[in-house]
């Protein structure tokens, strides 16, 4: 017996709901949401930094207390406005940040923005160099470890990865300096470049502050060789810290991908294991690296402070230590706020790249 199901007709004036369009602006909506999340993130970080810096009292007393007569110290505090209520100072500071004013350092009376632009390029250069090392070491070694799973190369590389991210940056930096600079004499022991090269870079028209980029732009390959030789050890010391994380991520995800049906189908057709790993399995393994890269940038900036101090690489990390020793908390506050903004913006960029590669991230 056949059962007939009657479908009720739509009432006049009632429009049937349309099916949801696939992809309908998912990426655009995702980008907008992620962008607006930067604002509360930076706001919270700025607020935390401001009030933590105020726990020790006003910055002028912290930097100059005991060095100036009490009346002179009180006058400077009043002129700077640090004798007003903390909330008043806080809202005034937020207003200054919106206009791009990070204040003036107490020890050398320089605008903090000038400090950031002068030394920020050096930290950016070091971070780029370290990221190149991390990717160049982590991805190939991760593929090798996955290809030789549970064999001697895999065991050795897993131990190497643990050693990389468990060794403090300052300790690995000292070992590299002792080996390649002191014992072998192959590479410079410290600095970003020789004095002659630094003078050459500073005399260029509109320099970027990134020495190897300025050397390439000017066609000065002698200076480029000098800059690269100075950059090798700091880049390795900082890059290996992140390379260990990348190696383990690539290994784990490639092993997971090698168990997929399409990989088994390739094996059944006689495709070599090397081709399966390098041509088919490695691309999905890159997505976690891109996702985690935003978090690793924060780790890398923290490691840059120790790396710059170890190698006398005069960037923001090196200057941060100098201002901390001088108890110049206006400068410290400005540097920390900038680093927080860099981390927030970097995570935003990484999220967008991940969403472009893997559409599932958008939903």
């Amino acid at each position: 017996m056949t059962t007939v199901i009657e479908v009720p007709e739509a009432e006049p004036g009632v429009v049937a709901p349309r099916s949801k369009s696939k992809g309908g602006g998912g990426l655009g909506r995702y980008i907008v949401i992620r962008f607006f999340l930067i604002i509360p993130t930076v706001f919270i970080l700025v607020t935390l930094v401001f009030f933590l810096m105020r726990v020790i009292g006003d910055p002028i007393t912290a930097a100059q207390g005991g060095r100036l007569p009490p009346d002179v110290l009180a006058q400077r505090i009043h002129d700077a406005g640090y004798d007003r209520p903390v909330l008043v100072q806080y809202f005034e500071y937020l207003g200054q940040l919106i206009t791009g004013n990070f204040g003036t350092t107490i020890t050398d009376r320089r605008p903090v923005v000038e400090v950031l632009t002068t030394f920020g390029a050096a930290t950016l250069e070091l971070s780029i160099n370290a990221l190149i090392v991390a990717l160049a070491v982590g991805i190939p070694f991760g593929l090798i470890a996955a290809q030789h799973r549970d064999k001697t190369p895999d065991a050795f590389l897993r131990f190497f990865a643990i050693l990389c991210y468990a060794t403090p940056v300052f300790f690995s930096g000292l070992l590299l300096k002792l080996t390649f600079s002191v014992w072998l004499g192959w590479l410079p022991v410290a600095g970003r470049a020789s004095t002659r090269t630094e003078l050459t870079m500073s005399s260029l028209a509109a320099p970027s502050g990134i020495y190897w980029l300025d050397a390439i732009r000017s066609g000065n390959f002698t200076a480029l060789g000098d800059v690269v030789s100075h950059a090798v050890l700091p880049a390795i010391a900082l890059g290996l810290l992140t390379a260990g994380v990348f190696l383990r991520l690539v290994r784990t995800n490639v092993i997971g991908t090698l168990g997929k049906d399409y990989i088994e189908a390739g094996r059944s057709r006689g495709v070599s294991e090397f081709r399966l790993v390098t041509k088919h399995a490695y691309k999905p393994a890159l997505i976690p690296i891109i996702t985690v890269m935003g978090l690793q940038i924060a780790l890398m900036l923290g490691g840059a402070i120790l790396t710059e101090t170890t190698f006398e690489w005069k960037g923001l990390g090196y200057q941060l230590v100098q201002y901390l020793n001088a108890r110049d908390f206006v400068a410290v506050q400005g540097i920390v706020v900038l680093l927080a903004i860099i981390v927030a913006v970097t995570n935003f960029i990484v999220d967008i790249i991940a969403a472009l590669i893997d559409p599932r991230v958008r939903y």
Side-chain angles (χ1 to χ4, degrees):
M1 180 176 180
T2 305
T3 303
V4 179
I5 302 174
E6 296 183 358
V7 180
E9 297 180 0
E11 296 181 7
V14 178
V15 180
R18 290 186 294 180
S19 59
K20 187 177 180 181
S21 176
K22 294 183 179 180
L27 179 60
R29 182 171 61 253
Y30 178 80
I31 292 175
V32 171
I33 293 173
R34 293 301 304 168
F35 177 78
F36 281 107
L37 283 177
I38 295 177
I39 299 174
T41 302
V42 173
F43 173 76
I44 292 171
L45 290 171
V46 167
T47 302
L48 287 174
V49 171
F50 179 87
F51 284 104
L52 286 175
M53 290 292 101
R54 289 300 185 273
V55 169
I56 50 92
D58 68 90
I60 293 180
T61 301
Q64 304 292 340
R67 302 178 185 177
L68 297 174
D71 55 337
V72 176
L73 184 64
Q75 184 61 43
R76 289 197 179 183
I77 293 173
H78 178 73
D79 293 340
Y82 292 125
D83 55 351
R84 293 176 297 169
V86 175
L87 285 179
V88 175
Q89 298 179 44
Y90 169 67
F91 287 112
E92 183 182 53
Y93 181 67
L94 289 181
Q96 291 176 349
L97 286 183
I98 293 174
T99 62
N101 181 8
F102 284 76
T104 303
T105 63
I106 297 173
T107 51
D108 48 10
R109 306 302 300 169
R110 297 174 63 185
V112 176
V113 172
E114 180 183 325
V115 175
L116 299 178
T117 54
T118 301
F119 298 100
T123 299
L124 177 61
E125 179 181 350
L126 176 60
S127 299
I128 292 173
N129 296 341
L131 186 59
I132 292 172
V133 171
L135 294 173
V137 173
I139 293 178
F141 284 176
L143 293 175
I144 294 171
Q147 186 179 358
H148 300 279
R149 180 184 181 183
D150 297 330
K151 297 179 181 178
T152 302
D154 181 30
F156 174 79
L157 288 173
R158 278 188 289 170
F159 173 76
F160 173 72
I162 295 172
L163 194 65
C164 282
Y165 61 73
T167 305
V169 176
F170 68 88
F171 182 71
S172 60
L174 290 174
L175 286 180
L176 290 171
K177 287 172 66 174
L178 187 63
T179 303
F180 294 100
S181 298
V182 178
W183 290 348
L184 299 176
W186 291 353
L187 295 169
V189 70
R192 293 181 64 195
S194 63
T195 304
R196 176 178 295 181
T197 300
E198 288 191 347
L199 291 174
T200 302
M201 294 296 102
S202 62
S203 63
L204 295 176
S208 66
I210 300 176
Y211 281 179
W212 54 260
L213 179 61
D214 290 335
I216 293 174
R217 288 171 52 199
S218 62
N220 191 338
F221 294 102
T222 302
L224 179 62
D226 181 60
V227 168
V228 171
S229 66
H230 281 79
V232 169
L233 294 184
I236 292 175
L238 184 56
L240 288 180
L241 180 69
T242 307
V245 178
F246 288 172
L247 193 158
R248 294 298 295 263
L249 277 174
V250 171
R251 175 189 177 275
T252 302
N253 286 277
V254 168
I255 288 175
T257 307
L258 288 174
K260 300 293 184 181
D261 292 339
Y262 71 93
I263 297 293
E264 293 295 337
R267 285 197 184 99
S268 66
R269 294 187 180 94
V271 180
S272 67
E273 196 71 17
F274 176 79
R275 184 175 179 83
L276 287 174
V277 171
T278 57
K279 297 294 183 182
H280 303 287
Y282 87 97
K283 288 183 179 179
L286 295 181
I287 296 174
I289 285 188
I290 295 172
T291 304
V292 173
M293 194 177 292
L295 300 175
Q296 294 303 312
I297 292 295
L299 179 64
M300 193 170 287
L301 288 173
I305 297 174
L306 296 174
T307 306
E308 291 177 5
T309 305
T310 302
F311 289 94
E312 297 182 19
W313 185 281
K314 296 184 179 180
L316 285 179
Y318 182 84
Q319 288 301 119
L320 181 62
V321 173
Q322 304 304 312
Y323 285 126
L324 278 171
N325 290 333
R327 301 181 68 83
D328 191 337
F329 292 119
V330 173
V332 171
Q333 183 173 272
I335 294 174
V336 172
V337 166
L338 177 66
L339 295 179
I341 293 173
I342 291 173
V343 171
V345 173
T346 302
N347 275 279
F348 167 72
I349 296 172
V350 168
D351 287 342
I352 300 308
I353 295 174
L356 290 171
I357 295 176
D358 187 359
R360 294 173 298 176
V361 176
R362 310 171 194 173
Y363 302 102

